[in-house]
Amino acid sequence: RDMQKLADDKINEYKSATISNISVDLVEYDDVYYLKAAVPGLSKDEVDIEAGDNDIVITANFKPLVEELPEFLDVEEIEDAKVIASELKSGKCSKTVIFETSIDVGKIKAKYSTGIILITVPKLIIPKHKVTVE
């Protein structure tokens, strides 16, 4: 039992530390979607956003603290660091948001502020044309 619990704990720890989702909020208003993505600790240059006909994919790579420590402490490397706890998201993370309607890829805008990206996604409005029957 103890071995199974230990194995289960390790698997859950691995799942939480590897590829996971980026947390988002999505709001629809008139002819536009607003998508808010949380990327705490990352700069806007560390986040990739790609848009297709009716979807957006947000991708980021979160580094674990043990890898970021040399940068924080302004040293080249830290040897023999022992990780005691690692609850923060780390590794490659992505989120795919699929919309009910086509989106206007050329008019999508994204703004970054303090670890939050707000993406404005206009719906693609295709005007209807009257067809004359001959």
Side-chain angles (χ1 to χ4, degrees), residues 26-34 53-54 99-108 120-127:
L26 178 63
V27 173
E28 181 179 15
Y29 179 73
D30 288 338
D31 295 333
V32 69
Y33 295 102
Y34 294 101
D53 289 338
N54 71 333
F99 302 97
E100 291 180 2
T101 61
S102 293
I103 56 176
D104 194 343
V105 177
K107 294 184 180 176
I108 295 173
T120 303
V121 185
K123 295 178 184 177
L124 184 62
I125 307 300
I126 301 172

Side-chain angles (χ1 to χ4, degrees), residues 33-70:
Y33 295 102
Y34 294 101
L35 180 62
K36 177 182 171 184
V39 289
L42 298 182
S43 71
K44 65 182 181 179
D45 298 327
E46 295 174 299
V47 180
D48 291 321
I49 302 170
E50 293 181 350
D53 289 338
N54 71 333
D55 69 328
I56 283 188
V57 179
I58 304 165
T59 307
N61 192 13
F62 293 88
K63 293 180 187 174
L65 176 59
V66 72
E67 289 181 20
E68 291 182 317
L69 265 180

